[in-house]
Amino acid sequence: MDIQEYFSLVFSDYTLRTITLGTAILGAVTGMLGSFAVLRKQSLLGDAISHAALPGIAISFLITGAKDSNTLLLGALVSGLIGTFWIRGIITKTHLKSDTALGLILSLFFGFGMLLLTFIQKQPNANQAGLDKYLFGQAATLVESDVWMMAIVTGICLFVLLLFWKEFKILLFDKDYAKTLGFNTKTIDILITSFIVLAIVLGLQTVGVVLMSAMLLAPAAAARQWTNSLATMVFLAALFGAFSGVFGTAISASQNNLSTGPVIVLVAAVFVFISFIFSPSRGLLFKQIRFIKNRRDLQLHKTLAFMYNIAETHDDISHPHEIKILNNFQGFTKGTLKKLVEKNYVTLQGSTWSLTNEGFKSASNLYNQLTKNDE
Amino acid sequence: MSDKIAVQVDDLTVAYNYKPVLWDIDLEIPEGVLMAIVGPNGAGKSTLIKSILGILKPIAGSVSIYGKSYDKQRSLVAYVPQKGSVDWDFPTTALDVVMMGTYGSLGWIKRPRQKQKKAALEALEKVGMLPFKNRQISQLSGGQQQRIFLARALVQDASIYFMDEPFQGVDATTEIAIINILKELRKAGKTVIVVHHDLQTVPEYFDWVTFLNVKKIATGPVKDIFNDDNLTKTYGINYKVSIQE
Ligand SMILES: Nc1ncnc2c1ncn2[C@@H]1O[C@H](COP(=O)(O)OP(=O)(O)OP(=O)(O)O)[C@@H](O)[C@H]1O
Ligand SMILES: [Mg+2]
């Protein structure tokens, strides 16, 4: 199947539709919530939570023997939450740095989870459980009820987000200040974190423990490059996340069923890459272009100002000058003069250059302009 | 200045770890003063303000605002945090930050409306930042960011203002603009408490001063207690020489 075929099938084929819808919703909700994690500089949190969820899946299987994803993910949710609150506890009670606490919980829970998984593998009916799919995810196992679950959680999440938008914003920007205004920052904090845990757990089946945090971070990091408004950022992150889900699924379905989770993450990474280079205000490319342009403008202005200063000492403003005189700073005067000729600020007669009326006027405006440009 | 006590602190002791950062502070701040808190780096000035505002939980002691707990009186209090305490790369505009000053009176869930926006614009005007209202906050200079924080506190329309180093990194013109606003607040009967580092300007700007270095060294009218003796006790070196240089 090639990509075109995929898009023609996606509406009619039940499996494809389910998977595509699932990954799109998942991308949207993780992108949305990922914005908060990124802005709180808790990039590692997602990684810690997803790894902390693994033992929950294993324990849930050991206790219930169930294979359906909802039961297993409930276990993941519980152990993910426990991990998260231990992290909080470690940070507030001891004085370990937060990355230490995150790393500690991540490795502790993941190690324990792996231990349990190997133990389960040795059990007689273990391979039927297919628990290892939660390591790297397996989008193909998504069924309609999973997608409904994701849609409902996303809906609730969106509702809460809109309801407490103002509270979330002030908590993200200035927590102490929010506290002095009487907001219970702990409640808001727990609310955000719980939703992040929930979104991660929802993604485990599709993307897996190992790569889940990328779903949280990549769309948000990409979105941050394009806007200076929180609302737009959250919206864009959701959009990028959803697109990553759809494209990722399309590519993996059309390429001999490449593993979906990693492909989705790679597509998200492409969004990040493009955003970091091409974003107009923060991207590397335009920064460089602006830098070069600013330098060139400055050179033009300097040359013009220099000629203006000489012209002021003469009665005739168009008094011609040899390049030797003008060339008193570095070697770039000739090129700059040519540009000024193009702009009609300077004329060239033989080997001498002289300021035009227009150039004189523009030069005298220069200082005003330079100061006014600020706003 | 009236006889009323705006802020009263009793036996306040605060520690982050084992070692106390503030030790047994007693402090009475009369209504209507413009007070400087001075002390060396790490003296606990920010910690004192944060404890009064309930951001930090003290180990012992109590704080009252006009005789009642801070929780009951928070609408009377505005706060300007130290500028470095937030991430200025946060995706938001100057106006948006100033609007946050209205969130307290709005309470949970309710959104700011036209009335709140108008108040925020007025505050921006007062600090001379109206032309920058739609600027992304990372594109403001340090002094402009400081003024945004001041505007956010002004919008709270409080009776008591706590400001943590509002003059940090501002140029002479901005400093004068800010101090004029503070003096105006005092004229309107408000109490203004400012963490201040420039000892030279204390007598000129303030009428009340508290010397702090883990313990309270002294508190009272500038003209009575702003002297070499207290400065030496607070900073641990002989200030006579350095201040007259
Ligand atoms: N979050 C924290 N955790 C641990 N110790 C802290 C914390 N914040 C401050 N301290 C310590 O408490 C003491 C007082 O800090 P505080 O910030 O109140 O000082 P300050 O007087 O405001 O100093 P500055 O003039 O540098 O702003 C310092 O020794 C500081 O190291
Ligand atoms: Mg301080």
Side-chain angles (χ1 to χ4, degrees):
Chain A
M1 170 164 57
D2 59 22
I3 293 250
Q4 260 169 352
E5 207 177 329
Y6 164 84
F7 278 108
S8 63
L9 273 176
V10 74
F11 295 103
S12 55
D13 184 274
Y14 170 81
T15 318
L16 268 190
R17 194 178 57 212
T18 309
I19 297 172
T20 307
L21 219 57
T23 52
I25 293 175
L26 181 71
V29 70
T30 50
M32 208 156 72
L33 290 164
S35 305
F36 293 115
V38 165
L39 288 175
R40 303 184 70 186
K41 315 232 181 300
Q42 288 182 326
S43 305
L44 254 176
L45 182 69
D47 222 15
I49 295 173
S50 65
H51 284 75
L54 189 63
I57 294 173
I59 292 174
S60 180
F61 174 76
L62 284 174
I63 294 176
T64 64
K67 277 169 251 163
D68 75 297
S69 57
N70 285 349
T71 316
L72 296 180
L73 289 181
L74 196 66
L77 183 65
V78 172
S79 78
L81 285 172
I82 293 175
T84 313
F85 290 107
W86 281 14
I87 290 167
R88 282 179 60 103
I90 291 174
I91 293 170
T92 50
K93 298 265 153 49
T94 76
H95 286 272
L96 291 175
K97 287 241 176 69
S98 67
D99 54 353
T100 316
L102 290 166
L104 207 65
I105 293 296
L106 184 153
S107 32
L108 196 71
F109 276 63
F110 188 61
F112 184 50
M114 287 307 285
L115 193 79
L116 290 175
L117 277 194
T118 34
F119 172 73
I120 292 170
Q121 302 280 314
K122 299 223 168 78
Q123 305 286 91
N125 62 345
N127 52 348
Q128 292 166 5
L131 290 195
D132 47 344
K133 78 173 178 211
Y134 289 99
L135 279 180
F136 293 102
Q138 207 169 351
T141 60
L142 281 179
V143 292
E144 206 175 302
S145 66
D146 296 329
V147 177
W148 272 114
M149 189 68 158
M150 287 180 186
I152 290 168
V153 171
T154 306
I156 296 174
C157 178
L158 202 61
F159 176 73
V160 171
L161 205 66
L162 288 175
L163 200 63
F164 296 111
W165 181 255
K166 164 174 126 261
E167 286 75 13
F168 284 151
K169 178 153 64 172
I170 196 168
L171 177 84
L172 289 176
F173 178 63
D174 196 345
K175 186 171 166 184
D176 281 353
Y177 185 70
K179 230 184 209 171
T180 69
L181 294 181
F183 292 103
N184 187 338
T185 50
K186 209 168 166 184
T187 308
I188 310 172
D189 197 9
I190 289 175
L191 206 60
I192 294 185
T193 314
S194 307
F195 271 110
I196 291 179
V197 176
L198 207 58
I200 286 175
V201 166
L202 279 179
L204 291 183
Q205 190 184 353
T206 317
V207 179
V209 164
V210 178
L211 288 173
M212 195 52 218
S213 71
M215 287 297 289
L216 210 61
L217 301 183
R224 178 67 190 93
Q225 294 298 106
W226 298 98
T227 174
N228 281 324
S229 136
L230 180 63
T232 316
M233 176 178 167
V234 172
F235 176 75
L236 278 180
L239 204 68
F240 290 165
F243 270 115
S244 307
V246 173
F247 284 135
T249 310
I251 293 169
S252 88
S254 52
Q255 305 296 325
N256 271 331
N257 288 323
L258 279 176
S259 193
T260 315
V263 178
I264 294 177
V265 169
L266 278 179
V267 174
V270 169
F271 274 111
V272 174
F273 183 73
I274 292 175
S275 305
F276 272 79
I277 299 209
F278 295 104
S279 132
S281 63
R282 302 166 70 96
L284 294 176
L285 183 68
F286 286 91
K287 249 188 204 151
Q288 194 60 32
I289 290 176
R290 253 199 316 277
F291 178 70
I292 293 169
K293 186 176 173 303
N294 282 345
R295 265 181 75 133
R296 229 180 13 228
D297 285 355
L298 221 57
Q299 283 172 9
L300 281 187
H301 286 159
K302 247 178 115 174
T303 312
L304 201 59
F306 183 65
M307 290 184 77
Y308 173 76
N309 285 340
I310 304 178
E312 269 194 328
T313 64
H314 295 274
D315 297 336
D316 172 19
I317 57 160
S318 59
H319 184 87
H321 303 285
E322 288 286 341
I323 188 143
K324 252 197 302 213
I325 305 174
L326 296 172
N327 195 8
N328 82 330
F329 54 95
Q330 277 89 43
F332 48 65
T333 313
K334 189 150 187 189
T336 342
L337 279 170
K338 278 189 184 146
K339 287 227 180 59
L340 286 171
V341 172
E342 279 168 31
K343 290 189 164 208
N344 222 0
Y345 287 170
V346 169
T347 55
L348 171 65
Q349 289 140 353
S351 68
T352 60
W353 311 74
S354 58
L355 207 55
T356 63
N357 267 328
E358 208 172 318
F360 185 80
K361 246 188 267 163
S362 141
S364 62
N365 278 332
L366 204 68
Y367 292 107
N368 304 344
Q369 263 177 26
L370 277 178
T371 45
K372 245 194 257 161
N373 267 350
D374 195 45
E375 188 36 25
Chain B
M1 189 191 137
S2 70
D3 299 334
K4 270 203 247 171
I5 300 298
V7 182
Q8 172 140 8
V9 177
D10 292 309
D11 305 327
L12 188 76
T13 298
V14 184
Y16 290 98
N17 302 314
Y18 175 70
K19 207 171 135 235
V21 171
L22 290 175
W23 182 253
D24 206 16
I25 308 282
D26 288 308
L27 190 61
E28 276 182 2
I29 306 173
E31 181 181 56
V33 296
L34 179 44
M35 182 179 100
I37 301 178
V38 299
N41 291 129
K45 305 179 295 295
S46 301
T47 306
L48 176 61
I49 291 188
K50 286 183 186 167
S51 312
I52 294 175
L53 298 179
I55 298 169
L56 291 172
K57 248 210 203 99
I59 290 179
S62 65
V63 172
S64 68
I65 307 286
Y66 284 115
K68 288 185 200 147
S69 75
Y70 176 78
D71 279 340
K72 294 207 177 95
Q73 305 281 51
R74 65 173 87 250
S75 63
L76 300 178
V77 180
Y79 175 43
V80 177
Q82 227 166 331
K83 204 187 76 208
S85 64
V86 303
D87 171 18
W88 288 94
D89 198 33
F90 191 80
T92 191
T93 61
L95 176 62
D96 225 26
V97 171
V98 177
M99 293 264 257
M100 288 178 188
T102 67
Y103 286 10
S105 61
L106 281 168
W108 288 83
I109 297 175
K110 256 207 246 150
R111 296 291 175 92
R113 294 183 181 278
Q114 219 48 42
K115 184 178 155 217
Q116 280 76 21
K117 190 172 173 192
K118 213 178 124 226
L121 289 173
E122 273 166 19
L124 276 168
E125 168 97 77
K126 228 179 253 167
V127 300
M129 289 294 293
L130 199 53
F132 299 89
K133 65 179 194 296
N134 292 324
R135 272 271 175 104
Q136 148 70 20
I137 53 174
S138 66
Q139 288 159 15
L140 298 170
S141 73
Q144 291 170 333
Q145 291 171 344
Q146 195 70 68
R147 284 194 269 173
I148 292 299
F149 260 10
L150 184 61
R152 185 176 71 171
L154 291 178
V155 126
Q156 287 184 256
D157 195 21
S159 309
I160 308 174
Y161 290 80
F162 288 92
M163 308 192 177
D164 205 341
E165 302 195 28
F167 300 113
Q168 190 191 40
V170 305
D171 63 15
T173 336
T174 310
E175 180 157 334
I176 292 169
I178 292 180
I179 194 65
N180 283 339
I181 291 172
L182 302 193
K183 285 180 174 168
E184 238 171 71
L185 287 172
R186 175 180 54 188
K187 221 195 270 163
K190 321 262 180 178
T191 311
V192 185
I193 295 132
V194 178
V195 174
H196 195 58
H197 268 303
D198 183 7
L199 296 170
Q200 324 281 342
T201 52
V202 169
E204 184 189 336
Y205 291 171
F206 300 96
D207 54 15
W208 212 264
V209 63
T210 294
F211 292 93
L212 186 75
N213 193 349
V214 185
K215 293 179 190 167
K216 183 194 76 183
I217 312 292
T219 183
V222 171
K223 60 177 182 350
D224 298 341
I225 68 158
F226 193 71
N227 52 38
D228 297 336
D229 186 31
N230 281 328
L231 284 167
T232 309
K233 273 188 204 156
T234 309
Y235 288 87
I237 41 171
N238 192 343
Y239 249 82
K240 198 167 196 164
V241 191
S242 44
I243 208 168
Q244 280 170 357
E245 241 174 6

